[in-house]
Amino acid sequence: MTAIKFELNGKPITTDADPEMPLLWYLREQVGLTGTKYGCGIAQCGACTVHLNGVATRSCITPLQAVVSAKVMTIEGLSTAAGKATQAAWQTLDVVQCGYCQSGQIMSAAALLAKNAAPTEADIDAAMHGNLCRCATYHRIRAAIHQAATNLKAGSA
Amino acid sequence: MNTPHNVESGISRRGFLQVITLGSAGFMLGWVPRDGLSAEVSTTSFGHFVRIGSDNAVTVIIKHLDKGQGVTTGLTTIVADELDADWMQMRWEFAPADATRYNNLNWGPVQGTGGSSSIANSWTQLRVAGAGARAMLVSAASKVWQVPVGEITVSKGVLSHADKRHATLGELAIAAATETPPDPPRLKEAREFTFIGKRVPRIDTPEKTTGRAHYTIDLSRPGMLTAVVAHPPRFGAKVAKWDASAAKKIVGVVEIIEIPQGVAVLAKDFWSAKRGRDALNVEWDERAAEHRGSLELWQAYKELAAHAGAPARRDGDVEAAFARAAKVVDAAYEFPYLAHATMEPLNAICELRADACEIWSGAQSPTTDQQVVAMITGLDPSQVIIHTQFAGGSFGRRAAPDSDYIAEAVHIALAIKGRAPVKLQWTREDDMRSGRYRPMAYHVLRAGLDANGKLIAWHHRIVAQSFLKGTPFAAMVKNGVDGTAVEGARNLPYTVENCAVDLQMPDVGVPTLWWRSVGHTFNGFATEAFFDEVARAAGHDPVVWRRELLAGHPRHLGVLDLAIDKAGAAPTGKGQGRGVAVHESFNSFVAEVVDLTVHDDGSFKVDRVVCAVDCGIAVNPDIVRAQMEGGIGMGLGAALREAVTLKDGVVEQTNFNAYQPLRIDEMPRVEVHIMPSTVTPSGVGEPGVPPIAPAIANALLAVTGKPTRRLPFT
Ligand code: FES
Ligand code: FES
């Protein structure tokens, strides 16, 4: 078995873990990065969302072998401008309730804002549709994405 | 109360646990202990709820579970206010399981979280705790400074005398420990509140927006094994025989054992355990299992509904009133089983020793959990140590009277004789098929009107399982009536002289449980949707008639008027309409106004919800708003699509592809208005849920003329 190499939160990783193992469980149980959550295991809830080369990706159905040579970013390593703005807006508006879905929500929102600086309601619906929140914090998620977009614009102006 | 305790030194329990977790979980980036405490900090306890450190941190002991409803912030706020602390110095930690100190004052000698009671039952208790500590600190300052108590002020965590002397709470904590607090201490007037009634940021937001918040699923103990269990496909089935030869070959699988709940695969991590579980071959003994499907159950429920149940309310002479009624309106409503589907699939960690059993879990009712674990292990309940964790949602699920999933973890630990700590982790499929659903229910309602359209008779018959019968909560079942099944129906607020409510409690093998707002989930719908049907049949405007029949219920009327006033003019576009519902639950009053659009194909979209809530004093108005928003979203999702159905006794929905809670594109605009109040606070976790579904039904009735009598809508 050849070792799998990729970049995780800016650091090189080399592992001989089972290439079939979903990235989610590798992150959580082999690396100890528990901010990425398990909710369904079948790409239906978004709790496990990470960035794979900047794209919001469900880590529960992404086998380790699919991330070879890729850049993986988790909530713990979220350091992009869009990511920081997203977290700040989430904090200002107190979006969270139980909080369990929120790593995934923030990762999806940060990926959206990185490629779309002024998302419309429809853009938000499309980008966030895969992220369930059982506490139904959607009202504030939407408001926080708009606020993050506004702050990003002000910051880059 | 407020007896000073010895000065103790050490890091907090929560901080300590997390250090251990950190150690065994590999590297963890940027981890900061919650309390910011180091081992050198000394802390002084002021009673059971307040500790002040020499580092000036004030820690509030939280006796309730925070499952998202925000009690870690709310309860901390109450103490901070009476203490006149600075918000930045406030910390918190979950209380241990100890009903002698941390019981829910509304529940007697039981510690637990539920019925939207956390703030309500803690209100005076924590004000006294904060005010008592403040008085002790002031008394200590007066001795140190040799000045009269009355000349000392406290503000933002600093005690001062005449602008000359100042000391922080932390600096005086040790000296204050030997003071005796006045009994009772002076509590603030409402106008003196500094935090209560204002927006204080949620205390758990930073860790929950950075991935640092720990839930049970994230914890690890030295040498821990993870267990995934093969459960029977039908409720009530038992293991007949099993073959683990394939499962044993999976790398990482350590041990496979039979427990009363099924067959458990223990492995070094979840992924291996899950693969091991999937490779198991289990045959089930289904002789005692429930084999009925939803169709058969509906049939049985409808037959039962033809017969009188146990009376829950009986005012006047209902039969005579119906006999002389000029008009009688009838309707029957169907409500499905609902899954809690907490985002964090259920789990618990169990560490079993000869003299103790330690449990890590998002525990909603620690006292019950202690009793259940004690029964299984033969230990004394006091030897069951519970480390409460953040729960990734609960909605009642983590308060099962039989502590089902905690019991399962303990059975596994017992089967391996405590050789290793065990983390039981359910998959989403396990969670979804575990039962403990909101009971399915069949409601038959009947209203009688006289020739002038006056409501003269109301009869409401409910067919629903009791989930308390035969449990430690059986005291809530009186004369054949489970109070949780009739709440919101037997206390119908509308003026009607002849009113009867009765209940049939069928025995079904599908376990059921409280689900966010419990009986109000269906009774709020049945009463409020039927009210509009009757109003229209009698030729009344539903809102005007509501106001008339709510005479004597000022808090219902208050929120109804507030919501309608804030909602403004009703939409008049094509397919647009408005519906209104008002409902009391858990001593809080909520009215919701729904504006929606019905499309040509019959589908509809909820555009806007205006909500008014009277929960007494709103300790944290922003969290009150958040709970209304979330309650409306969750209630809307349930109304739109959620249903657990069975075929031949097997649950048909196993994951979020088939059981579909609300998603973001369906969330309407929500505006929440809080009724100003000086009344003692009541809860907000649940009361936002009941009015949303009937308000939608009433809007649909207004637009289409067709009533909605079966949930979910689609
Ligand atoms: S856990 Fe990956 S989408 Fe649900
Ligand atoms: S905050 Fe609880 S699931 Fe989203």
Side-chain angles (χ1 to χ4, degrees), chain B residues 75-92:
Chain B
L75 298 177
T76 303
T77 301
I78 297 171
V79 171
D81 205 313
E82 288 290 353
L83 190 56
D84 280 317
D86 185 80
W87 183 250
M88 295 311 291
Q89 73 187 134
M90 298 308 294
R91 308 284 184 273
W92 67 273

Side-chain angles (χ1 to χ4, degrees), chain A residues 37 39 44 94 98 134 138, chain B residues 205 215 218 642 662-663:
Chain A
K37 301 298 194 225
Q44 290 289 318
D94 271 341
C98 84
R134 191 57 167 151
Y138 301 121
Chain B
T205 283
Y215 304 79
D218 303 323
E642 289 178 35
L662 195 78
R663 290 186 184 267

Side-chain angles (χ1 to χ4, degrees), chain B residues 391-428:
Chain B
S394 183
F395 317 112
R397 182 61 183 89
R398 296 172 197 267
D402 63 350
S403 307
D404 59 335
Y405 62 99
I406 291 177
E408 192 169 305
V410 174
H411 275 293
I412 297 167
L414 197 62
I416 63 163
K417 303 192 171 60
R419 280 195 295 277
V422 172
K423 179 199 277 181
L424 168 70
Q425 180 61 53
W426 282 0
T427 62
R428 172 60 56 198

Side-chain angles (χ1 to χ4, degrees), chain B residues 428-442:
Chain B
R428 172 60 56 198
E429 290 80 4
D430 294 321
D431 191 285
M432 196 72 85
R433 294 167 76 159
S434 68
R436 280 82 189 172
Y437 307 125
R438 193 285 303 274
M440 67 179 265
Y442 189 68

